[in-house]
């Protein structure tokens, strides 16, 4: 099937007759559709997490499930006996999560949160076309759709068709730089969140690895259509009512990312084209002399000998372990690219070992499948086999240990097979057709590679993968692959990161500056600002692109990048808290405004975003050519609209409180990143010296934003290094400050509980109060209550300073 094509619904036969079938363990309903039959079985998943209906086309070539997307414990549940609906030819499946009524011609779903989904009104609700299955719902009342994995274009997916098929995008769409809305991409996550006119939300996850087509009103604006080419089609109906509820439930089903090492949250510098050991030393020195922290330097394919896996080109990298040790000594971690393809050549030990061990994918001819990647003819580990995963983990683990490499960057795992068609790549000793695991190749490579870190007993692995599937966040972070250095791709990266986050992949981000083509200083500056609070923050570009490190475009761009990157390091403790929250509850790091502000006016907003629930970022996303600066208050500013949700917001660039519920026309200087802080936020902030990846958070500032609301947060403190947090080694620190008044002191309460030493972190308050009418520098008093002891009143200073600049104003 070509990209952009679908199977026309009129080629399907739709259900006409339903009848209950009894089976000792899985009672269900059978529907007759033309000459074919489909069986529907219901299960209750978790306690109220989802109601699962598996639609099994009895004409499919294989009725077994192959998806590794959801956590094993949620792949099946309590079977629900269908109950005949009184007086109708219909059956009900009921659980805490939803009630699904199966009519002869489709499914009606009443979600526990209140949302309702009706079957296609024209009797085309469920059908078959040979091994293919179709399910259709009416989109009446649906006003927006989110998630669906990694998608370009806008955040709202309504009106779009989604091909759930992982591809090497550049290989298929060499013109991607000229497009800002293409499909598919590297990742497939067949999960959609629908928003209804009354503000309710509900989720649908299609738990199949096959190449599903998810049409959200593209062919017919009134219809949601999902088609599966083969195999069973399990549908998880996930209740809301809020966007947050659906996201949290989905991540409870698919799993959440464990907390990464702190260094992985910093700034990363990469380029395809760093070819010699000395370039890495020069990078280290240049970052230091530019006063820009960098947590990791990345080795792209040029470190290898002829692109052979787990080798180094010793002419260009004579002593890799010594090099990585030197970088580590400067606080810089290293990450190496790992492609799955093994060069097929006699004498290549890895190849021979894999061929002898039967670790590679087969072709229908009985031999090992051969594709074409960087080293030429390549064979591919069959990661569906446990023994291959063990072998891979061993080999990768050895390589990481011997080279002193800290993280693994898993690329070309869509899988990219160059000029060789991938359909001949078979799995499980050649027994399973390619389609069963195509979309899960990168996901299983990530699973196998994580095994390497477990062997090395590295408590917090860092892996980044290009391709992924539902649940890949359990094993790796995802970057959005090859994008282009243009303004459209900068804009697009926000929606892409939002939707990936809503699809469970909280730790993700784009190539900052753009991968293909030549960036200029203006675009690099704006992109570095915009992405500086993205979950994953890496500057990376193509070997043919002009170099795009922060210093390549003169002092002004360097200043802009320095401020943005340093700003991120100041906020790492806040970002760390968000990773903690993701692991605990499933919330994304970067969120759409509508995640916390349910008003209909926010449902399509994707040019400004939230980081956690406290910070709202509204970057400048247009060039000076497109949006020429005008002189405002004596300086050139570009203007954009900023939508402020209800409540009060502190404008960090101007040091002022603003009334929410309005849209501002906001001027942005070249060096400025507009950030607004929610009234009531308490933000941990690191003001100490920066030392690349090294993190010492014993003294933190706590920035308290209180106008009408008390400022509060819960800070989770752990050892920052091990996985002991998973065993409960976490202290819970509750911080709260009352709103300030001129006549009384602010009360700041810090209470800490937990198994770790109490008081290990010293929090110093910085107040952003709203003393209307008072002079901005009027003295403010606070008393601290900690462990039952109240300190005498202390004088504090109100601050209105520009926040992310390097200087930290004095405080009491
Ligand atoms: C792929 C990756 C890109 C990498 C290049 C060379 O295009 O997406 O990030 O630099 O391969 O390894």
């Amino acid at each position: 099937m070509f990209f952009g094509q679908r199977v026309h619904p009129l080629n399907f036969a739709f259900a006409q007759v339903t009848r209950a079938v009894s089976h000792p363990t899985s009672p269900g309903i059978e529907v007759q559709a033309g000459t074919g039959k489909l069986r529907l079985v219901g299960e209750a998943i978790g306690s109220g997490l989802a109601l699962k209906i598996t639609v099994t086309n009895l004409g499919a070539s294989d009725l077994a499930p192959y998806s590794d997307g959801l956590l094993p414990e949620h792949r099946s549940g309590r079977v629900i006996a269908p109950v005949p609906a009184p007086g109708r030819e219909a059956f009900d499946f009921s659980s805490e999560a939803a009630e699904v009524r199966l009519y002869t011609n489709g499914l009606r779903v009443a979600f526990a949160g209140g949302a309702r989904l009706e079957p296609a009104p024209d009797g085309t609700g469920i059908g078959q076309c040979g091994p293919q299955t179709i399910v259709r719902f009416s989109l009446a009342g649906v006003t927006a759709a989110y998630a669906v994995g990694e998608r370009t274009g806008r955040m709202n997916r309504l009106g779009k068709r989604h091909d759930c098929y992982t591809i090497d995008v550049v290989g298929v769409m060499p013109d991607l730089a000229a497009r800002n809305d293409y499909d598919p991409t590297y990742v497939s996550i067949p999960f959609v969140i629908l928003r209804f006119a009354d503000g309710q939300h509900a989720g649908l996850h299609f738990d199949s690895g096959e190449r599903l087509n998810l049409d959200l009103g593209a062919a017919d604006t009134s219809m949601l259509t999902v088609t599966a080419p083969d195999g069973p089609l399990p549908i998880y109906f996930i209740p809301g009512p809020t966007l947050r509820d659906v996201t949290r439930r989905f991540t409870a089903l698919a799993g959440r990312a464990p907390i990464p090492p702190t260094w992985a949250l910093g700034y990363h510098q990469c380029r395809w084209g760093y070819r010699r050991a000395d370039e890495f030393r020069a990078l280290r020195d240049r970052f230091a002399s530019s006063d820009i922290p960098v947590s990791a330097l990345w080795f792209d394919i040029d470190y290898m000998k002829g692109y052979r896996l787990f080798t180094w080109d010793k002419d260009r990298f004579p002593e890799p372990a010594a090099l990585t040790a030197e970088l580590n000594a400067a606080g810089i971690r290293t990450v190496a690219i790992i492609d799955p393809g093994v060069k097929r050549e006699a004498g290549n030990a890895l190849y021979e070992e894999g061929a002898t061990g039967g670790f590679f994918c087969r072709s229908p001819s009985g031999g090992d499948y051969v594709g074409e990647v960087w080293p030429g003819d390549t064979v591919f580990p069959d990661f569906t086999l446990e023994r291959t995963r063990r072998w891979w983990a061993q080999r990768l683990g050895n390589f990481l240990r011997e080279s002193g490499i800290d993280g693994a960057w898993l690329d070309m795992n869509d899988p990219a097979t160059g000029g060789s068609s991938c359909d001949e790549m078979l799995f499980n000793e050649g027994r399973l057709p390619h389609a069963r695991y195509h979309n899960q190749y990168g996901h299983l490579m990530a699973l196998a590679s994580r095994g390497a870190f477990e062997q090395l007993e590295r408590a917090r692995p860092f892996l980044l993968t290009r391709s992924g599937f539902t649940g890949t966040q359990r094993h790796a972070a995802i970057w959005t692959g090859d994008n282009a250095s243009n303004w459209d791709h900068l804009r697009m990266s926000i929606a892409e990161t939002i939707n990936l986050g809503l699809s469970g992949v909280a730790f993700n981000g784009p190539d900052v500056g753009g991968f293909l083509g030549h960036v200029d200083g203006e675009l690099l500056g704006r992109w570095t600002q915009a992405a500086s609070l993205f979950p994953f923050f890496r500057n990376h570009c193509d070997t043919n692109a002009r170099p795009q490190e922060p210093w390549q475009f003169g002092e002004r761009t360097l200043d802009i990048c320095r401020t943005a990157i340093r700003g991120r390091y100041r906020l790492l403790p806040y970002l760390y808290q968000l990773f903690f929250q993701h692991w605990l509850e499933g919330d994304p790091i970067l969120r759409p405004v509508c995640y916390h502000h349910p008003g209909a006016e926010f449902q399509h907003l994707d040019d400004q975003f939230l980081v956690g629930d406290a910070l709202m970022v509204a970057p400048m996303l247009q060039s000076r050519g497109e949006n020429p600066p005008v002189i405002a208050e004596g300086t050139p500013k570009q203007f954009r609209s900023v939508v402020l949700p209800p409540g009060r917001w502190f404008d960090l660039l101007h040091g002022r409180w603003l009334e929410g519920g309005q849209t501002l026309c906001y001027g942005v200087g070249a060096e400025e990143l507009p950030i607004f802080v929610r009234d009531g936020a308490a933000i941990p902030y690191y003001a100490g010296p920066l030392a690349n990846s090294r993190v010492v958070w014993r003294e933190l500032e706590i920035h308290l934003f209180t106008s009408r609301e008390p400022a509060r947060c819960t800070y989770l403190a752990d050892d920052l290094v091990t996985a002991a947090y998973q065993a409960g080694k976490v202290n819970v620190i509750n911080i709260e400050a009352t709103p300030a008044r001129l006549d009384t002191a602010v009360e700041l309460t810090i209470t800490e509980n937990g198994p770790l030493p109490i008081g290990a972190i010293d929090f110093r308050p910085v107040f952003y109060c709203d003393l209307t009418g008072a002079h901005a520098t009027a003295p403010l008093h606070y008393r601290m209550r900690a462990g039952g002891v109240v300190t005498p009143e202390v004088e504090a200073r109100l601050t209105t300073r520009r926040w992310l600049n390097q200087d930290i104003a004095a405080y009491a």
Side-chain angles (χ1 to χ4, degrees):
M1 188 151 56
F2 294 130
F3 292 105
Q5 280 190 319
R6 68 186 166 126
V7 181
H8 198 296
L10 292 176
N11 288 312
F12 285 79
F14 290 91
Q16 300 130 9
V17 184
T18 54
R19 70 186 180 84
V21 285
S22 57
H23 184 278
T25 53
S26 59
I29 306 291
E30 255 177 30
V31 299
Q32 183 77 36
T35 53
K37 268 189 192 151
L38 300 129
R39 176 172 298 158
L40 284 85
V41 173
E43 288 162 88
I45 306 292
S47 55
L49 280 184
L51 193 159
K52 173 185 179 189
I53 299 281
T54 303
V55 183
T56 304
N57 178 347
L58 301 181
S61 72
D62 188 344
L63 303 187
Y66 292 99
S67 169
D68 186 59
L70 301 183
L71 289 169
E73 61 267 34
H74 295 315
R75 293 182 193 167
S76 58
R78 177 177 52 80
V79 174
I80 305 169
V83 177
R88 297 168 195 247
E89 202 187 318
F91 295 89
D92 289 330
F93 299 87
S94 299
S95 79
E96 277 172 70
E99 177 164 305
V100 175
R101 174 164 291 182
L102 171 64
Y103 294 93
T104 45
N105 55 7
L107 298 166
R108 168 190 287 172
V109 188
F111 292 88
R116 297 264 181 289
L117 207 49
E118 297 288 336
D122 56 357
T124 60
I126 304 176
Q128 61 77 25
C129 172
Q132 308 189 59
T133 305
I134 192 167
V135 177
R136 284 156 59 91
F137 292 100
S138 162
L139 283 171
V142 174
T143 57
Y146 310 115
V148 211
E150 181 182 83
R151 299 293 165 183
T152 63
R154 299 290 307 268
M155 170 177 77
N156 176 16
R157 306 309 306 155
L158 205 58
K160 298 286 176 190
R161 181 182 300 149
H162 305 85
D163 193 350
C164 296
Y165 189 66
T166 56
I167 60 163
D168 171 8
V169 178
V170 178
V172 175
M173 290 176 242
D175 63 338
L176 74 93
R179 300 162 66 169
N180 59 10
D181 192 356
Y182 46 87
D183 187 83
T185 64
Y186 304 92
V187 173
S188 171
I189 304 178
F191 165 63
V192 60
I193 305 176
L194 302 176
R195 179 192 164 108
F196 295 83
D198 60 0
Q200 303 267 343
H201 297 79
L204 279 73
H205 173 60
F206 304 97
D207 190 28
S208 160
E210 298 285 325
R211 182 175 177 177
L212 306 184
N213 193 296
L214 179 56
D215 183 320
L216 299 172
D220 176 341
T221 51
S222 65
M223 220 74 85
L224 180 161
T225 303
V226 58
T227 47
D230 206 344
L233 179 61
I235 312 177
Y236 283 69
F237 295 102
I238 304 167
T242 66
L243 180 55
R244 184 176 204 174
D245 294 330
V246 180
T247 310
R248 287 179 163 195
R249 289 200 171 95
F250 178 61
T251 55
L253 293 165
R256 295 159 182 163
I259 303 181
T262 51
W263 62 264
L265 310 191
Y267 175 74
H268 301 263
Q269 184 64 51
C270 188
R271 171 179 173 77
W272 177 9
Y274 295 148
R275 289 207 167 75
R276 293 181 331 276
D278 278 349
E279 284 178 85
F280 288 84
R281 297 192 178 96
L283 283 163
R284 172 199 59 197
D285 297 344
R286 189 66 199 258
F287 272 103
S289 63
S290 305
D291 209 11
I292 297 182
V294 58
S295 286
L297 295 177
W298 292 52
F299 295 94
D300 204 326
I301 48 175
D302 296 307
Y303 75 85
M304 290 180 266
K305 176 100 186 145
Y307 307 127
R308 287 175 191 82
L309 270 185
F310 310 141
T311 65
W312 287 87
D313 183 324
K314 290 291 177 72
D315 293 333
R316 290 182 278 123
F317 294 92
E319 290 180 278
L323 173 64
T324 55
E326 262 180 66
L327 295 172
N328 258 278
I332 298 174
R333 302 302 187 117
T334 51
V335 183
I337 200 166
I338 309 288
D339 293 337
V342 175
K343 186 173 173 71
R344 182 182 185 276
E345 67 176 346
N348 174 0
L350 192 72
Y351 168 67
E352 288 182 347
E353 199 177 277
T356 314
F359 298 143
F360 299 127
C361 294
R362 304 268 171 82
S363 91
S365 67
D368 290 338
Y369 166 82
V370 182
E372 293 166 1
V373 203
W374 310 120
D377 289 341
T378 35
V379 293
F380 290 79
D382 181 353
F383 293 114
T384 71
L385 299 173
E386 167 97 48
R387 67 166 193 276
T388 302
R389 295 202 295 268
R390 273 202 309 271
W391 168 70
W392 177 265
Q394 192 79 48
R395 290 287 157 265
L396 173 59
N398 290 349
F399 171 73
L400 296 172
R401 190 184 52 250
E402 284 158 16
S403 320
I405 294 281
D406 298 293
W409 170 21
L410 313 178
D411 190 26
M412 307 301 270
N413 52 4
D414 331 294
T417 51
S420 168
S421 142
C422 62
D423 293 335
E424 289 66 40
M425 180 194 281
L426 307 180
F427 298 103
N428 198 330
E429 326 273 3
R431 283 193 282 265
L432 292 176
H434 185 68
R436 295 297 97 87
Y437 281 110
H438 173 92
N439 286 339
Q440 301 181 73
Y441 192 83
H443 174 84
L444 293 175
M445 181 190 182
L447 167 68
S449 306
R450 203 169 174 93
F453 290 82
E454 276 151 25
Q455 281 186 19
L456 297 179
E457 296 186 3
R458 292 201 194 159
R460 293 195 188 183
F462 173 69
L463 299 97
L464 183 78
T465 178
R466 187 167 78 173
S467 186
F469 183 65
T470 305
T472 296
Q473 65 272 9
R474 304 195 297 267
H475 317 307
I478 288 180
W479 99 104
T480 56
D482 299 347
N483 57 0
S485 298
N486 66 50
W487 293 85
D488 274 351
H489 282 219
L490 159 59
R491 279 193 280 272
M492 181 175 96
S493 68
I494 297 176
E496 225 173 344
T497 286
I498 286 176
N499 275 325
L500 261 175
L502 294 173
S503 306
V505 187
F507 196 9
N508 84 81
D511 283 347
V512 173
F515 179 75
L516 297 169
H518 307 301
V519 76
D520 60 26
E522 186 191 359
L523 178 58
L524 181 71
R526 288 302 192 198
W527 208 323
T528 306
Q529 289 172 335
S532 62
L533 295 176
F534 270 40
F536 178 62
F537 186 31
R538 183 187 69 162
N539 174 320
H540 176 46
C541 68
D542 182 23
T543 185
N544 298 309
R546 69 173 284 186
Q548 66 182 36
E549 296 84 12
W551 48 82
Q552 298 288 356
F553 304 89
E555 279 305 313
R556 189 150 196 228
T557 305
L558 178 59
D559 275 353
I560 290 170
C561 293
R562 180 190 297 116
T563 302
I565 296 168
R566 291 178 68 92
R568 180 184 184 87
Y569 282 78
R570 301 278 171 231
L571 285 173
L572 280 185
Y574 177 66
L575 288 172
Y576 187 80
Q577 291 301 305
L578 298 180
F579 277 87
F580 231 126
Q581 256 178 41
H582 168 76
W583 177 73
L584 283 167
E585 309 276 7
D587 295 316
I589 314 296
L590 191 136
R591 307 172 188 171
V593 174
C594 60
Y595 199 77
H596 292 289
H597 303 279
E601 62 275 35
F602 310 117
Q603 64 182 321
H604 305 314
L605 197 60
D606 61 3
D607 65 350
Q608 59 185 76
F609 54 86
L610 297 173
V611 180
D613 67 2
L615 299 182
M616 189 169 70
V617 183
M620 176 46 64
L621 301 168
Q622 289 177 307
S623 69
R624 285 193 288 274
E626 201 180 349
N627 175 355
V630 297
I631 303 297
E633 290 160 15
T635 45
K637 304 248 181 201
Q638 288 177 273
F639 281 82
R640 59 157 293 162
S641 65
V642 174
V643 181
L644 288 183
R648 287 175 76 75
W649 294 85
F650 191 81
D651 171 0
L652 284 168
L653 283 179
H654 298 94
R656 61 182 178 190
W657 282 97
L658 296 169
E659 196 58 49
Q662 56 170 334
T663 300
L664 310 176
C665 180
Y666 195 92
V668 189
E671 70 290 354
E672 291 179 336
L673 173 66
I675 304 182
F676 304 85
V677 189
R678 178 178 59 74
D679 185 12
I683 306 219
Y685 186 107
Y686 174 71
L690 300 182
N692 295 331
S693 67
R694 295 197 192 101
V695 152
V696 188
W697 293 339
R698 280 191 290 276
E699 281 185 7
L700 289 178
E701 293 186 346
I702 184 81
H703 288 223
L704 301 153
F705 294 84
T706 163
S707 169
R708 291 184 197 133
E709 304 291 332
R712 50 164 83 101
C713 75
T714 298
Y715 185 93
L716 300 177
D718 75 327
D719 65 19
L720 302 172
V721 178
T722 73
Y725 70 90
Q726 297 185 7
K729 292 264 168 28
V730 179
N731 278 8
V732 178
I733 306 174
N734 283 308
I735 300 173
E736 177 164 348
T738 55
R741 297 223 321 261
L742 275 177
D743 49 344
T744 53
V746 182
E747 184 125 321
L748 173 64
T749 312
I750 301 186
T751 44
E752 178 168 3
N753 290 296
L756 304 176
I758 303 290
I761 303 175
D762 183 15
F763 287 100
R764 296 161 166 217
V766 178
F767 293 96
Y768 298 74
C769 298
D770 187 8
L771 298 176
T772 311
H775 191 265
T777 54
L780 173 78
H781 294 88
Y782 77 93
R783 280 193 307 251
M784 186 126 115
R785 182 192 292 274
V789 182
V790 181
T791 60
E793 277 194 13
V794 188
E795 191 171 298
R797 192 91 75 79
L798 275 179
T799 179
T800 56
R801 68 194 161 77
R802 293 156 65 94
W803 193 38
L804 289 182
N805 283 348
Q806 300 158 52
D807 297 334
I808 301 301
Y811 50 84

